Amino acid sequence: MSEQRQKHQQRNEAMLLFDIGDFIDRFHPITEATKGKANVDLLNALQYDAVTIGNNEGITLDYEDLNTLYENARFPVLVANLFHKDGTRPSWVRPYSIIPISDAFRIGVIGVTAYFAESYELLGWKVAPPLEMLESIAAEVKKQADLVILLSHLGIHEDEKIAQTMLDIDIILGGHTHHLFPEGKRIHDTLLCGAGKYGKYIGVVKLEIEESDRTYEALATVVDAESFPNSERMQRTLSIWEQQSLAKLEAEQIVELKEDLPLQWFSPSPFAKLLASALKEWCDAEIGMVNAGVLLEPLPKGIVTRKDLHRICPHPINPCKVQLRGAELKEIILQANTDRMKYLQFKGFGFRGKVMGQMVYDGVEFEMEREEDGAEYIRHMTINGEPLNPEQLYEVATIDMFTIGNFYPQIQHAPNKKYYMPEFLRDVLAWKLANQK
């Protein structure tokens, strides 16, 4: 990126660099230990011109960590729809920025982030519906700029709506839904761009501007980041940061285990059972329910540190409590016991592991019977010692991943859900380990 910037400067061309959000993931120990501050340093080093925030910044950090995340940023943070609870705009946020490319041409840049209203509210923020305010902001920016760019962490479907209805927005640089447009996509006169996921591609929009009449032509492409050699200097920097970050996490001791906590992914085990019990207590529910695959390794006896818990439970996943009828709960338990669900491999919805694994419970008991075909079936299901009542409502403590992804429709579409934030599973695990008798 630095070399490319130099090439543009030598050709007397302007280069602008934008981030569309989710530039942190607390899966990484550097991000976890620095709460994203090191990531901001990396953006500074690349001389970003503006960024917006994604849900990874907005709802995986607590209020104070997000409020101070960008205190050393040398670029504007553009989020038109983020506010304090009292409706005022945070000091580190702007709705838009006007960037003069030359004496005769100005570009307006607006940022918006995904509308996770309940999550932001639980963390002390207020996020407004972006489409309701975007049209008036775009009109305001258009009066000051010759070209309007939207940094959109809304997803492809919202981007398409904006392109169809808001004529003042010329280019949409999109994220959130990980869509990839190798040559962009045009809707009316708006160019939609998307560079995929996980930093695999760098999105490029080439603008040829005719300053005399302030017209332009735009061409979108993507560049495979793997085609470039690694920067040895940056690799050394990251290696040092990672060593420092791991040392910081290791310095925080949680508990000393007197015996091992074994883990099995495809059968009940003490460690997974402990996590199910912790969720049940944390959420004050009748049942705890979690898939064993969220735990990546067992815990050996001895000192347990934050480094250990981050390594074995790195996911940005929060606890939640959901109300389910007994009949719905039974369907989930039966589905979770199938090989298809146990051996499901996926990545996303906060999950950073390898496989779903066995569903483990606290408060649910059942007997297994093996039929003549060799398959195992669940029989005689009880809830806290009582026969499962198909019509009774049960409070189930589980993980927010199940309310987002289409794993169990009964959970995803349940009307009554309560999320617990900003704590992740590893925080609940730390609490349980430190307080168990």
Side-chain angles (χ1 to χ4, degrees):
M1 296 298 291
S2 300
E3 291 173 1
Q4 192 65 32
R5 188 182 292 278
Q6 290 175 3
K7 290 178 183 178
H8 286 301
Q9 290 173 345
Q10 291 167 1
R11 295 197 292 253
N12 200 29
E13 296 170 344
M15 172 180 155
L16 301 177
L17 186 58
F18 302 116
D19 187 82
I20 321 299
D22 282 358
F23 81 100
I24 71 169
D25 187 334
R26 289 181 60 182
F27 166 83
H28 200 289
I30 293 177
T31 303
E32 176 72 359
T34 68
K35 299 298 174 64
K37 298 283 183 69
N39 304 56
V40 172
D41 290 341
L42 292 172
L43 296 189
N44 284 337
L46 281 170
Q47 302 177 52
Y48 271 74
D49 292 280
V51 307
T52 193
I53 70 168
N55 41 288
N56 268 312
E57 293 85 60
I59 60 176
T60 71
L61 296 171
D62 67 25
Y63 177 89
E64 187 59 29
D65 288 331
L66 177 58
N67 205 31
T68 58
L69 175 62
Y70 298 98
E71 59 188 1
N72 294 323
R74 298 197 294 268
F75 47 80
V77 182
L78 309 180
V79 200
N81 60 326
L82 180 69
F83 303 90
H84 292 298
K85 274 194 171 179
D86 63 5
T88 60
R89 200 179 295 281
S91 61
W92 49 273
V93 164
R94 302 185 207 169
Y96 62 85
S97 179
I98 306 297
I99 302 175
I101 297 302
S102 68
D103 293 338
F105 201 89
R106 297 160 69 86
I107 290 179
V109 186
I110 307 168
V112 284
T113 198
Y115 182 58
F116 289 108
E118 183 178 355
S119 296
Y120 276 101
E121 184 177 352
L122 287 170
L123 291 168
W125 300 101
K126 177 182 177 182
V127 65
L131 270 61
E132 292 181 9
M133 59 193 311
L134 190 53
E135 192 161 9
S136 61
I137 291 175
E140 179 182 335
V141 173
K142 193 69 170 182
K143 294 175 183 177
Q144 308 171 56
D146 304 290
L147 172 73
V148 178
I149 296 175
L150 178 66
L151 309 183
S152 167
H153 198 88
L154 303 180
I156 181 56
H157 301 298
E158 301 293 328
D159 290 354
E160 289 174 341
K161 288 180 187 176
I162 292 167
Q164 289 163 355
T165 59
M166 301 185 193
L167 302 182
D168 286 327
I169 295 174
D170 301 295
I171 298 174
I172 300 175
L173 306 181
H176 187 49
T177 44
H178 299 173
H179 50 286
L180 175 66
F181 291 146
E183 298 178 351
K185 176 180 179 179
R186 293 187 183 273
I187 296 180
H188 301 314
D189 293 327
T190 302
L191 176 64
L192 281 71
C193 304
K197 58 186 177 181
Y198 310 138
K200 178 173 173 53
Y201 297 101
I202 301 166
V204 179
V205 178
K206 180 180 179 181
L207 293 172
E208 292 189 357
I209 297 168
E210 183 57 60
E211 292 189 344
S212 59
D213 58 3
R214 297 184 178 181
T215 59
Y216 70 92
E217 290 185 5
L219 178 67
T221 57
V222 296
V223 179
D224 190 337
E226 294 179 1
S227 65
F228 299 115
N230 285 328
S231 164
E232 291 184 9
R233 180 169 60 88
M234 184 54 67
Q235 291 297 321
R236 287 195 299 271
T237 298
L238 291 175
S239 178
I240 293 169
W241 279 358
E242 184 159 357
Q243 291 172 22
Q244 293 172 344
S245 298
L246 291 172
K248 181 178 179 181
L249 295 173
E250 191 171 24
E252 187 175 347
Q253 296 185 359
I254 305 300
V255 71
E256 183 175 2
L257 291 180
K258 303 302 182 185
E259 54 187 40
D260 293 342
L261 267 176
L263 173 68
Q264 298 291 332
W265 278 347
F266 305 112
S267 60
S269 59
F271 195 10
K273 179 75 172 177
L274 179 82
L275 180 55
S277 174
L279 283 169
K280 177 182 174 182
E281 291 180 51
W282 185 268
C283 301
D284 190 24
E286 297 166 89
I287 296 163
M289 179 176 77
V290 67
N291 58 302
V294 298
L295 297 172
L296 306 188
E297 300 174 19
L299 267 181
K301 67 178 180 180
I303 299 294
V304 178
T305 69
R306 281 283 176 189
K307 175 186 171 183
D308 298 319
L309 295 188
H310 182 263
R311 185 183 69 254
I312 65 172
C313 194
H315 329 276
I317 291 177
N318 303 102
C320 75
K321 182 164 64 176
V322 59
Q323 282 191 342
L324 298 169
R325 288 190 307 110
E328 295 172 320
L329 180 59
K330 181 178 179 180
E331 284 299 312
I332 292 167
I333 293 170
L334 292 173
Q335 183 185 347
N337 195 55
T338 62
D339 285 348
R340 185 183 72 83
M341 290 304 295
K342 289 181 186 178
Y343 293 93
L344 178 65
Q345 298 182 25
F346 68 99
K347 182 177 181 180
F349 309 108
F351 186 71
R352 304 293 184 259
K354 296 180 180 179
V355 66
M356 180 75 78
Q358 172 96 25
M359 192 72 85
V360 183
Y361 308 90
D362 185 356
V364 176
E365 298 84 28
F366 48 78
E367 297 176 13
M368 302 294 297
E369 289 184 7
R370 189 176 296 275
E371 300 288 338
E372 292 181 0
D373 60 3
E376 287 187 324
Y377 295 90
I378 293 175
R379 298 282 187 265
H380 313 302
M381 205 176 294
T382 60
I383 306 298
N384 294 315
E386 299 292 330
L388 182 144
N389 183 341
E391 298 304 318
Q392 183 175 333
L393 278 176
Y394 295 97
E395 290 191 329
V396 181
T398 187
I399 54 180
D400 65 356
M401 178 179 85
F402 293 148
T403 72
I404 304 167
N406 190 29
F407 302 101
Y408 303 102
Q410 303 91 337
I411 298 177
Q412 186 181 25
H413 302 301
N416 295 314
K417 306 183 187 80
K418 181 179 180 181
Y419 296 93
Y420 295 80
M421 303 175 76
E423 294 84 9
F424 290 153
L425 286 184
R426 57 181 172 271
D427 299 310
V428 176
L429 197 53
W431 167 80
K432 178 67 172 177
L433 290 168
N435 290 283
Q436 66 176 340
K437 295 177 182 179

